[in-house]
Amino acid sequence: MSAPAQQPVRRALRLIFALQGHTLDGLRLKQLADSIKATPSTVLRDLEVLADEGIVERIAGRDEYWRLSPRLIQLARAHEQEMARVRQRLEETEQRYSRNPN
C-alpha cells in the first residue's frame, strides 16, 4: 500500500488510540483533531466512517462528543475468551502428558 493510501488508516488508528480512556465523557472533534494533528473536517470524515463501522459513536445528548463504541469492548472480550479457551486446552494437554503412568 502506498504512503498516501495508508494515511486514512493511520488517522483512524490514531483516533481510536486518542479516544481510549474517554469512554464516559468522550472528546470533542477539535480535541481529537488537535491530538492527531489533522483538520477538524478530515477528522469528522474519519469519525463518520468509524461510526458507520460501529467503532466510535457520538454521545447521546452531547453530539459534539465522540467515544469508542461498545463494539471494541466486545471485540476485546471475545479475544480474552478465546485466550481463556486456549489456556484451558493447553492446561488439559499438559495434565494429560504429565500424569505418571502406574
Side-chain angles (χ1 to χ4, degrees), residues 30-97:
K30 175 83 167 97
Q31 291 172 297
L32 287 164
D34 290 346
S35 74
I36 69 163
K37 296 175 179 51
T39 65
S41 61
T42 298
V43 169
L44 180 59
R45 270 195 319 270
D46 292 341
L47 287 168
E48 288 172 341
V49 169
L50 289 170
D52 287 345
E53 295 301 322
I55 303 300
V56 301
E57 63 185 9
R58 288 184 165 159
I59 297 177
R62 299 177 67 210
D63 285 345
E64 71 273 16
Y65 287 88
W66 293 84
R67 65 179 170 197
L68 297 175
S69 75
R71 186 166 188 203
L72 280 183
I73 302 305
Q74 293 162 351
L75 177 68
R77 295 209 36 146
H79 175 73
E80 180 182 32
Q81 290 167 357
E82 180 184 6
M83 292 297 102
R85 286 190 301 273
V86 168
R87 276 190 297 279
Q88 182 179 0
R89 285 179 58 199
L90 286 172
E91 288 170 7
E92 290 168 358
T93 301
E94 182 181 355
Q95 287 176 4
R96 195 171 81 229
Y97 282 92

